[in-house]
Amino acid sequence: MVRQPGANIINTVELLKGELPKLRRLLPAGMSLDIVNDRTDTIRASISDVEVTLVIAIALVVMVVLLFLRNIRATIIAGISLPLSIVATFATMWAAGFSLDNLSLMALTIGTGFVVDDAIVMIENIVRNIEKGKTPTQAALDGAREIGFTVVSLTVSLIAVFIPCCS
């Protein structure tokens, strides 16, 4: 059996496993039909590892922001923005017709690292501006202006790295 482009291999294997008892009943006596190789276990393990990595990343962001900035509001913002960005990423992937394979999971993990880093740097910069006496709105605008180019250039670099994989 050869995997077809765009096919969900886990669903396909589960459907085949469901059909095995029927196929075995159709075989002549003395013949057997067995699974020789099932790589869906490693695929499931990869997905599980990515899920754990994403949960750890979110927890680390919340802990770092809370421990170092000691600001509940900033912690809540970081704790909400990261899962929201991951949901938005999945929605964009679905809308663009991308499948969730090992490469896209790796890209998601790396991208999450960038988002985590950018979120911490941005929040720290905004809090620093607030501590200088600026209003929260002005601190956010000034903080974004100060490091916005760096954040955007890192994001563009990340996108450029994965463009060859999508074409």
Side-chain angles (χ1 to χ4, degrees), residues 6-164:
N8 183 330
I9 195 163
I10 292 176
N11 285 346
T12 304
V13 168
E14 291 303 318
L15 289 172
L16 283 172
K17 284 181 179 179
E19 295 296 318
L20 279 178
K22 295 175 191 171
L23 293 172
R24 285 183 180 129
R25 284 192 296 268
L26 297 174
L27 292 175
M31 289 188 75
S32 66
L33 180 61
D34 297 312
I35 298 172
V36 177
N37 187 8
D38 182 3
R39 295 185 299 177
T40 59
D41 292 334
T42 58
I43 295 170
R44 285 186 178 99
S46 295
I47 292 170
S48 177
D49 286 347
V50 169
E51 289 172 349
V52 169
T53 300
L54 294 175
V55 169
I56 290 171
I58 292 168
L60 284 174
V61 167
V62 169
M63 280 185 356
V64 166
V65 172
L66 186 61
L67 288 173
F68 291 101
L69 298 180
R70 293 183 182 91
N71 185 323
I72 296 295
R73 185 175 180 203
T75 304
I76 292 170
I77 290 169
I80 291 173
S81 65
L82 190 56
L84 202 58
S85 68
I86 292 170
V87 169
T89 301
F90 282 129
T92 303
M93 287 175 65
W94 176 78
F98 291 122
S99 65
L100 195 60
D101 56 12
N102 283 339
L103 183 64
S104 60
L105 289 174
M106 181 189 69
L108 182 64
T109 304
I110 292 170
T112 300
F114 277 105
V115 170
V116 166
D117 183 51
D118 293 347
I120 291 172
V121 170
M122 185 65 80
I123 290 171
E124 186 277 330
N125 204 28
I126 292 168
V127 169
R128 183 181 55 80
N129 281 316
I130 289 173
E131 289 172 351
K132 286 182 176 179
K134 296 180 181 179
T135 64
T137 303
Q138 191 59 46
L141 292 172
D142 290 348
R145 195 175 301 116
E146 291 169 1
I147 64 170
F149 177 76
T150 304
V151 170
V152 170
S153 64
L154 284 171
T155 303
V156 170
S157 298
L158 178 66
I159 292 169
V161 167
F162 289 103
I163 285 176

